[in-house]
Amino acid sequence: MADVNKVVLAYSGGLDTSVILKWLQETYGCEVVTFTADLGQGEEVEPARAKAQKLGVKEIYIEDLREEFVRDFVFPMFRANAIYEGEYLLGTSIARPLIAKRLVEIANQTGADAVSHGATGKGNDQVRFELGAYALKPGIQVIAPWREWDLTSRERLLAYAEQHGIPIERHGHTSPYSMDANLLHISYEGGILEDPWAEAEESMWRWSVSPEQAPDAPTYVELTFACGDVVAIDGEAMSPAAVLAKLNALGGANGIGRLDIVENRYVGMKSRGCYETPGGTILMKAHRAIESITLDREAAHLKDELMPRYASLIYNGYWWSPERRMLQAMIDASQTSVNGVVRLKLYKGGISVAGRKSDDSLFDASIATFEDDAGAYDQKDAAGFIKLNALRLRIAAARGRKA
Amino acid sequence: MADVNKVVLAYSGGLDTSVILKWLQETYGCEVVTFTADLGQGEEVEPARAKAQKLGVKEIYIEDLREEFVRDFVFPMFRANAIYEGEYLLGTSIARPLIAKRLVEIANQTGADAVSHGATGKGNDQVRFELGAYALKPGIQVIAPWREWDLTSRERLLAYAEQHGIPIERHGHTSPYSMDANLLHISYEGGILEDPWAEAEESMWRWSVSPEQAPDAPTYVELTFACGDVVAIDGEAMSPAAVLAKLNALGGANGIGRLDIVENRYVGMKSRGCYETPGGTILMKAHRAIESITLDREAAHLKDELMPRYASLIYNGYWWSPERRMLQAMIDASQTSVNGVVRLKLYKGGISVAGRKSDDSLFDASIATFEDDAGAYDQKDAAGFIKLNALRLRIAAARGRKA
Amino acid sequence: MADVNKVVLAYSGGLDTSVILKWLQETYGCEVVTFTADLGQGEEVEPARAKAQKLGVKEIYIEDLREEFVRDFVFPMFRANAIYEGEYLLGTSIARPLIAKRLVEIANQTGADAVSHGATGKGNDQVRFELGAYALKPGIQVIAPWREWDLTSRERLLAYAEQHGIPIERHGHTSPYSMDANLLHISYEGGILEDPWAEAEESMWRWSVSPEQAPDAPTYVELTFACGDVVAIDGEAMSPAAVLAKLNALGGANGIGRLDIVENRYVGMKSRGCYETPGGTILMKAHRAIESITLDREAAHLKDELMPRYASLIYNGYWWSPERRMLQAMIDASQTSVNGVVRLKLYKGGISVAGRKSDDSLFDASIATFEDDAGAYDQKDAAGFIKLNALRLRIAAARGRKA
Amino acid sequence: MADVNKVVLAYSGGLDTSVILKWLQETYGCEVVTFTADLGQGEEVEPARAKAQKLGVKEIYIEDLREEFVRDFVFPMFRANAIYEGEYLLGTSIARPLIAKRLVEIANQTGADAVSHGATGKGNDQVRFELGAYALKPGIQVIAPWREWDLTSRERLLAYAEQHGIPIERHGHTSPYSMDANLLHISYEGGILEDPWAEAEESMWRWSVSPEQAPDAPTYVELTFACGDVVAIDGEAMSPAAVLAKLNALGGANGIGRLDIVENRYVGMKSRGCYETPGGTILMKAHRAIESITLDREAAHLKDELMPRYASLIYNGYWWSPERRMLQAMIDASQTSVNGVVRLKLYKGGISVAGRKSDDSLFDASIATFEDDAGAYDQKDAAGFIKLNALRLRIAAARGRKA
């Protein structure tokens, strides 16, 4: 076992991380610094202070990171239209690098030699936390209690808690699911979801009404983009976090953003997950729409071809890596012209684009028109275009090659 | 002007291609062979016979190609999860290579030295028809009247028709839009759509009810896959065309598959298009779902990374090309295990996956579980996994590199 | 024929472009501005002045662009390790965007409404010139005489020259080959090279001795890199053009940089080309060597995977495009740490790396060593690394999948 | 420690694997089956029998796998033009999957429940052996003594050998380098190579003369390809292994195939390696040359873009994976037309292509020619080709976008 003097723990204030807090003190005989962040998960973070104090913690960090989260992580990711495996909007993945960064910064500030987290040994989050921590502070020690201890069942964990006087709250929203939430999404795993043939229960979902329960009339909304990011909703300028919060409210009310998938974890297994990403789902649709009129074709295609790789990097925990930064440089270089307004219709789980306009639009009605275009485009050029594009195919066919 | 003896014309029986027919006879002094295919566009093809006869055509080909279309073109494309520019399901694009193939085959049968089509000089279809024709018969001549003649406005076209006794039907469904339909989709361009800020009118859509008009209760459906293709619906075995027709009916009734986008044409301009692809939209969702439990992670990611390129090939007209065939070989090699059943919920424009199961499933609940897994997975392995994946990042950070 | 008042001609002073000059004056009745650039082709550019004057040209631009050429075009390209089709170092391709840029700038300065060049209608250079010109000045007219006139044989061209008093120099180095040269390379096409089975004659090559004639003793050279570019040779700081000139001398003397290939042109046909790129060949080897110790693995792999696409963009004439700039942003973002010294051995056509060192080296002998590493790397971590990487394969095999 | 009854050991007969053999017997108390393969490493394999017998082994497998190695592993890899990190021909990597396959097959035959190998915990070979073994037999146990035991220095190993009566041969070719050899290559690591600034000593190289010592006259050779593989040399039909042996002899005699690089290992560190791959280097050059006249442009480009990924898969040990098989299907689909003859000139370390010809050639001199082509290609088509390719760039420039 490593020699540890002080460890910074990503602390939610809940039972599991409270047990970890105690276990770290007992097992490593080290001081624990707690770090609790408001990333928009929808729960108070301040109560974590008293809990930590009660467990003897002297250095307690409680921070509102919502703006930084959306501005520096969520928005850059949406510029890429990042979707993992065709469906997942990376809601959990994108929060981890920010937490890793703050853990390391606090370790530097407090002179801690280790960080710790409450992610299990089977999931992706351990990888994301730890790759980030190692990339930012290569000599850091990482303690992952779930990979080390013998509290491998809920019973043992509860027993340990009771033994050590850690209060076990039995509040209303106890859930059969393992959940994670931040301003971008809430996720559900475990329970009956472990059977991929079983449909998720309506009662599971928390952030959105069902499409069935959504209003019978559509909602229209206009998003204003600057350099690929939403800067105003219905004409009202807003901060990044305010944008996402507002879109979550709009999406949730209209039954938008539910997803039920089986995904491939970086650690090698498939897992079933359900997600609610109301605002992100709207954002994605809108961003593609504004890009559709402002982005050059080949720029857009280059982005599309590299998107799956970019998404995998984030999913796998490589936000803090040279390859992610290289891709981001490429993506951001394309977004200076992604400005304008998108009008969307939200209705019972669906989003449709009702309009897009931009001073930077590359859409030219005079060229695309079915009517006479006054010479803007010479149709005869198309003959040469086709002929030369066909040349290699014709030569091959003339040699008897099967097309 | 080229010397042409006989030309095979892709003939719909409508006004435009009737004018073309006459124009070819007049301009080239050549014999015209007509080819009219039922690709599921929803209009009778048999009436084209009388019209062609009336215009003096002796060799008339009228064919039902629906099964071939779905089996050999639509299904292989869906194995790739092909989507152009993140949204378009390639409904028009995928029909063109089949028409090109039949045009060439009929040219070979009838001894024709040219083919002709009614696509304009600004669109993608001319490219698709002609690349296909050249790839399959390199010495073929292609006549694209819209690029050659001076009938450049609707008025002139009508005047020519009147002049030459071509009947101008003024039936009910005259539309302000340029439309194309086949079993996979119906498309709309032109008219008010040329303003990307203008929302499409409800009256434009033909194949689907609006989400608002769709039933208030969801519809559940089960699709059975074999080697990546749907072979049965709700347990009933069906032919490829029957599958797609059934899914169109289900989707259309539930307001599914409407799309409104601005896309980038191969010839260089942006254009606004609206599409209804009810069955295809369901098929895409279901195919991803069955792949999610049956396809290896890296196989799926490889497919995802190459998908945009594959989609562009089809969009741009390169179905009949060595690179498309190479990609198809790669894709098809992944589909032997894509077998099983997907259960979907259709509701007011939305599709959600309600379940997926397969004898070829790679989902292993015993490993992914949050409960004790009886040793199927050793969590301690994750520490080494992370450590070695982090090694390069740690070395770089230790050298002072910015992460 | 377009209405043209003034045209800027890329003018070499040779017979062909002199005929073009005259032909433009006669055919378009327009004023001609000449632009002659020293790109390191090894021929005097100043004589072009008198020739142009004699043909009545009033605005004559003669410029030494060697530094700009290497600094802003060659070096950025080599940061990408760009090679077209596995072999070609893009010597001709990379000069064209600079010429296009100057043509347009001169057109803007002189109020010209057109540009013209001497590239034929079968090659890539017409595409590179014209895409560049259109991208930089969308309303420009382009006159490509080889695609327009009827001087389609050497005889006719000579007859036209004689007729119009254009001097036909019959100097020593008349060549059976079509050649192009700049500081990066000299190329040969045509003549016996049109038979790909025929070996190039020794007498064809101009810039390098044959390996057989090269010195019997090796030459060692040290290149110093800063941010991916060579800034010094054998410790002596040099400008970009001086670096390339020096490497050409070293390479040429040692028989380095000859290449004989069949390549695929953008316009659709295969063509045989021979190239001498002495300095560039050294540069490529050295750049890979310095990257090998200073670049992160995934950064290097990302560059490698995108390199063929980047190379194709340059080959096809898309230097001035958003997608090239996006890729360049990505590549350049990786080069800040590509600093250090590479020592090379040059011998009879071959280059081997004799050493590489860098303050930014990521090579860590203490970790890679076969000897005891004092705990820098825990071999046991490898077991977990392998186990989790194997997990998906094991699950599949356990389900009976063929590996 | 796992419970093992019988283990199949990849046994070379040398000191290290003899110590492993003994250590397995002692540590696991299990029976050891030895497997020794002739992969063309240039050492007798039969002596391993007596050594194994002396150590009490009852089941001894000694096999000549050279033909299978070249036919089923080396040749398929060369169809892809696979090069890792721009330089490395994957000589070690490609042998591992065959050994893994035989280890597993022998385990199945002999009822063994484990396999073992002599690769260290820092290198790539452990990964390659073990991924292969797990992919082919998911329940197999893998014993990697170098990761488990405490014989972590040469001294301890020798002491163990002496203690257990394992003969320590002190023959002539003791080397300061860690070496690996098979019919494709021989590699060197360690010793002074751990300093990347140190030039490799001439005395290290074993398979090739130095370019300086190579003959003063060039050697010409003709290779005949069928479906991408060499089937004859100078007109003489040969088996795959005979082809590679012959090319090794030709290359080695002419100083061809030496390489000195720093590469990125999968386990995260950089390492210096020197390689001799005489035959493979010739094969690569020749394969590109025959492809240059027989392969379609886009097919070639698709291969080039995916090559780095394919090479990484092999380097990282994923031969036995669905993604490698998918890529192989794609590559092989392109090779049916890769037939013909390539003529090469070998001289003092260099290879140049002296000619290529094929009945499947797509090179068409009548089109590429600088002379009149009798209408095979209409230069005017190029104008339209360029115009439409430029359209998106022109529209963007007209909107004020920076090119």
Side-chain angles (χ1 to χ4, degrees), chain A residues 283-303:
Chain A
L283 193 51
M284 178 66 60
K285 185 82 176 176
H287 187 258
R288 278 220 172 260
I290 192 64
E291 283 195 339
S292 79
I293 56 167
T294 59
L295 209 59
D296 170 79
R297 180 185 71 200
E298 295 302 312
H301 290 195
L302 181 57
K303 284 186 69 205

Side-chain angles (χ1 to χ4, degrees), chain B residues 130-197:
Chain B
E130 299 179 26
L131 288 181
Y134 288 133
L136 295 166
K137 189 176 171 71
I140 195 80
Q141 295 206 49
V142 176
I143 306 174
W146 285 99
R147 296 200 306 256
E148 292 189 20
W149 67 24
D150 56 358
L151 307 179
T152 51
S153 68
R154 189 106 304 240
E155 289 68 37
R156 290 190 178 190
L157 194 83
L158 291 170
Y160 185 96
E162 225 161 308
Q163 226 177 323
H164 294 80
I166 298 166
I168 301 161
E169 301 173 42
R170 306 216 179 267
H171 41 53
H173 66 274
T174 296
S175 163
Y177 304 104
S178 169
M179 296 189 293
D180 176 70
N182 58 50
L183 203 45
L184 182 53
H185 93 342
I186 180 167
S187 69
Y188 311 87
E189 294 183 294
I192 65 155
L193 300 180
E194 292 189 357
D195 172 9
W197 185 247

Side-chain angles (χ1 to χ4, degrees), chain A residues 121 126 266-270 296 298-303 305-306 309 322-327 329-331 333-334 387-389 391-393 395, chain C residues 121 126 266-270 296 298-303 305-306 309 322-327 329-331 333-334 387-389 391-393 395:
Chain A
Q126 55 174 345
Y266 190 28
V267 291
M269 85 261 302
K270 291 183 180 292
D296 170 79
E298 295 302 312
H301 290 195
L302 181 57
K303 284 186 69 205
E305 293 192 40
L306 287 167
R309 175 190 284 252
E323 63 272 24
R324 202 278 309 171
R325 278 186 298 112
M326 287 168 67
L327 287 171
M330 190 198 80
I331 291 158
S334 75
K387 272 289 187 69
L388 292 209
N389 278 317
L391 185 56
R392 65 182 174 95
L393 304 173
I395 293 172
Chain C
Q126 57 175 342
Y266 189 30
V267 292
M269 86 256 309
K270 291 182 181 290
D296 169 79
E298 295 302 312
H301 290 195
L302 181 57
K303 286 186 65 206
E305 292 191 41
L306 288 167
R309 175 190 282 251
E323 63 273 25
R324 204 276 311 170
R325 278 187 298 112
M326 286 168 68
L327 286 172
M330 189 198 79
I331 291 158
S334 74
K387 273 288 188 68
L388 292 209
N389 278 317
L391 184 56
R392 66 183 173 95
L393 304 173
I395 293 172

Side-chain angles (χ1 to χ4, degrees), chain A residues 266 309 313 316 318 320-327, chain B residues 388-389 392-393 401, chain C residues 291 294-306 330 334 362 385, chain D residues 84-85 264-268 270 308 312 315-316:
Chain A
Y266 190 28
R309 175 190 284 252
L313 286 177
N316 292 346
Y318 291 97
W320 301 113
S321 73
E323 63 272 24
R324 202 278 309 171
R325 278 186 298 112
M326 287 168 67
L327 287 171
Chain B
L388 291 208
N389 279 316
R392 64 183 176 94
L393 304 172
R401 295 274 176 92
Chain C
E291 283 195 339
T294 59
L295 210 59
D296 169 79
R297 181 185 72 201
E298 295 302 312
H301 290 195
L302 181 57
K303 286 186 65 206
D304 278 352
E305 292 191 41
L306 288 167
M330 189 198 79
S334 74
L362 298 173
F385 178 75
Chain D
Y84 182 66
E85 298 190 339
N264 290 292
R265 287 192 190 152
Y266 189 29
V267 290
K270 291 183 180 290
S312 285
Y315 186 85
N316 292 346

Side-chain angles (χ1 to χ4, degrees), chain A residues 44-59:
Chain A
E44 292 299 311
V45 289
E46 200 45 42
R49 189 181 306 277
K51 292 180 183 174
Q53 281 169 333
K54 210 173 138 192
L55 286 157
V57 176
K58 286 173 209 146
E59 294 173 289

Side-chain angles (χ1 to χ4, degrees), chain D residues 108-177:
Chain D
N108 287 337
Q109 267 179 278
T110 60
D113 44 5
V115 295
S116 183
H117 61 76
T120 79
K122 287 185 168 180
N124 296 300
D125 285 331
Q126 56 175 342
V127 189
R128 296 167 188 150
F129 283 130
E130 298 178 27
L131 288 180
Y134 288 133
L136 295 166
K137 190 175 170 71
I140 196 80
Q141 295 207 47
V142 176
I143 306 175
W146 285 99
R147 296 200 306 255
E148 293 190 18
W149 67 23
D150 56 357
L151 307 180
T152 51
S153 67
R154 189 104 308 239
E155 288 70 36
R156 288 189 179 190
L157 194 83
L158 292 171
Y160 185 98
E162 226 162 304
Q163 227 177 323
H164 293 80
I166 297 165
I168 301 159
E169 299 174 42
R170 306 218 179 265
H171 42 52
H173 66 275
T174 295
S175 162
Y177 304 104

